[in-house]
Amino acid sequence: MIRCENCDTTIDKAQINTRSFSPCSQCGTFIRTDIFNAALRVHEKGDEPETIVLSDDAGCFYHPSKKAVMPCASCGRFLCALCDIDMDGSHICFSCMEKGHEEKNKQHLETHRFLPDGLALRLSLLPPLSLVFSFFTCVTAPLSIYFVIKYWKSQTSITPRGKKWRFVLAFLFSSAQIAAWAGIIIMSVSG
């Protein structure tokens, strides 16, 4: 039970949750004791404890002990800060996001992204690595340099990478291939 902080005497149940200060029956110290009514309830052995609601706030559908901050715009479930997914100003739960992903009906749900740095690097590396298609480098090398120049300042992924090493490698490999083609053309013309 609850005890007085001064004299360690058990506080009478009549003094609990009165919302006012009352004197301790033993030492006379004015105390105020506010507790949840569920703490005074005696549970019988084998009973499942009930979920205690700490205030009048709504709980999250997925985490009942967490305070709800927003309803889902699609299904109306209350969501805590952890479950709330902001989709261009519309707040949805992960179940509705998954459902929209499966049905492909959410236009603002990004399921893939074009990565120009990866494409530029592939265009500069794949044809020369396969000996059968190495003659395609006369087309893929200039195309790779085009992607490097065009998308140099663009954000390449959802999470910023910050480093442009793929663009630099693609530019170097493509420049070497263009130089090799220029050398082949000059040697065949002159020789």
Side-chain angles (χ1 to χ4, degrees), residues 92-167:
I92 62 171
C93 65
F94 60 88
S95 295
C96 292
M97 184 184 77
E98 184 64 30
K99 183 179 174 188
H101 178 66
E102 289 171 1
E103 295 173 0
K104 305 282 189 211
N105 64 357
K106 298 283 185 186
Q107 285 79 25
H108 57 275
L109 180 63
E110 187 169 345
T111 58
H112 65 282
R113 178 169 273 217
F114 170 66
L115 300 174
D117 58 342
L119 179 62
L121 189 59
R122 282 189 214 102
L123 284 172
S124 67
L125 287 177
L126 291 180
L129 291 178
S130 65
L131 298 174
V132 176
F133 297 109
S134 61
F135 60 89
F136 281 123
T137 58
C138 63
V139 175
T140 60
L143 196 57
S144 175
I145 290 178
Y146 167 76
F147 280 117
V148 169
I149 293 169
K150 181 173 181 180
Y151 295 105
W152 180 260
K153 292 187 178 182
S154 69
Q155 183 179 352
T156 57
S157 73
I158 296 170
T159 55
R161 295 182 188 172
K163 298 181 181 168
K164 308 250 183 210
W165 64 271
R166 289 182 179 195
F167 277 138

Side-chain angles (χ1 to χ4, degrees), residues 36-133:
F36 295 106
N37 289 330
L40 298 173
R41 202 174 311 137
V42 178
H43 293 284
E44 293 183 25
K45 197 170 189 176
D47 279 352
E48 289 291 319
E50 297 176 15
T51 304
I52 298 174
V53 179
L54 301 179
S55 67
D56 293 338
D57 293 330
C60 174
F61 179 81
Y62 299 102
H63 304 102
S65 63
K66 302 280 185 186
K67 180 181 175 184
V69 295
M70 187 75 57
C72 176
S74 183
C75 67
R77 294 176 179 150
F78 290 122
L79 306 172
C80 65
L82 179 66
C83 296
D84 177 31
I85 301 171
D86 185 2
M87 300 291 289
D88 295 332
S90 175
H91 297 272
I92 62 171
C93 65
F94 60 88
S95 295
C96 292
M97 184 184 77
E98 184 64 30
K99 183 179 174 188
H101 178 66
E102 289 171 1
E103 295 173 0
K104 305 282 189 211
N105 64 357
K106 298 283 185 186
Q107 285 79 25
H108 57 275
L109 180 63
E110 187 169 345
T111 58
H112 65 282
R113 178 169 273 217
F114 170 66
L115 300 174
D117 58 342
L119 179 62
L121 189 59
R122 282 189 214 102
L123 284 172
S124 67
L125 287 177
L126 291 180
L129 291 178
S130 65
L131 298 174
V132 176
F133 297 109

